[in-house]
Amino acid sequence: MDMMTIRAAGPADLEAIGRVHVEAWRHAYHGIVPSSFLHRMDPAVSAERFRRRLSDPKQAFWVALAGEEIVGFASGGPNRLADFEADAEIYTLYVCPSWQGRGIGRRLVCQLAEGFAEQGYQSVAVVAFRDNPWRRFYERLGGMLVGEKTFEVDGVALPEIVYRWSDVEELRERAK
């Protein structure tokens, strides 16, 4: 993986973040999320949604670059999952389909975990669609299945699962 870097995301990255988000959703969630929703996804709308997250000082937001091209991103912060015990939560983790399988996701998770540890978080949670085959990534990193919930998209209730790491340092080490 030549010239791969991870750095904090900034406002100038939003257009590329929106593009990566839409590409990753359309690839990973084809056949899982209603196609009506996937077809309506717009990189500019995604970029604007991430603009609000980027401006939240409680959230960490990282991008992965191959040379100068943003090929992945991840964000996280305080746990928002009221029904699941954890200090921190991985909110997003997306890598361009053509760049998947090259360790980018691991590097982004490692960066998030390092930040979580620095902030004093002890445990981490993440939510994934149950039928998403890429969720095994979290299992390979030692995530323990701790529950289920649902997310509605275009009137369809999609089952989700929640993974948890009780030790943020263990997550960081496994993601290295």
Side-chain angles (χ1 to χ4, degrees):
M1 203 177 350
D2 50 299
M3 301 301 293
M4 179 60 58
T5 56
I6 306 290
R7 66 163 170 75
D13 301 324
L14 288 167
E15 181 179 333
I17 288 168
R19 175 188 50 77
V20 170
H21 181 244
V22 171
E23 284 179 22
W25 264 66
R26 287 179 176 162
H27 175 76
Y29 303 146
H30 175 77
I32 298 168
V33 171
S35 59
S36 57
F37 181 83
L38 295 175
H39 290 305
R40 282 197 322 272
M41 289 184 77
D42 180 337
V45 172
S46 288
E48 193 54 39
R49 189 176 90 211
F50 289 117
R51 178 181 307 284
R52 291 188 297 276
R53 288 188 182 179
L54 192 59
S55 65
D56 182 346
K58 293 180 182 177
Q59 291 193 32
F61 208 126
W62 300 96
V63 291
L65 295 99
E68 297 296 315
E69 179 187 4
I70 292 175
V71 296
F73 68 93
S75 66
N79 180 21
R80 307 168 299 180
L81 303 166
D83 296 337
F84 300 96
E85 265 188 52
D87 298 327
E89 180 186 353
I90 298 171
Y91 302 151
T92 60
L93 176 61
Y94 296 108
V95 175
C96 287
S98 61
W99 285 89
Q100 291 173 355
R102 300 183 193 197
I104 297 167
R106 280 183 175 275
R107 290 188 59 191
L108 286 165
V109 167
C110 186
Q111 188 69 52
L112 282 173
E114 286 176 5
F116 292 157
E118 287 172 11
Q119 294 204 352
Y121 294 131
Q122 301 296 310
S123 56
V124 181
V126 68
V127 178
F129 287 122
R130 184 189 67 203
D131 296 335
N132 177 5
W134 294 101
R135 72 179 172 87
R136 304 283 185 233
F137 169 80
Y138 299 118
E139 294 172 5
R140 288 191 301 275
L141 291 179
M144 301 300 297
L145 180 63
V146 294
E148 295 188 20
K149 56 194 278 324
T150 58
F151 182 72
E152 189 172 309
V153 176
D154 279 2
V156 177
L158 301 173
E160 295 180 307
I161 55 174
V162 180
Y163 291 103
R164 181 176 183 273
W165 293 266
S166 58
D167 183 353
V168 70
E169 287 296 333
E170 179 186 341
L171 172 60
R172 185 178 67 78
E173 284 300 316
R174 291 185 76 141
K176 279 188 173 181

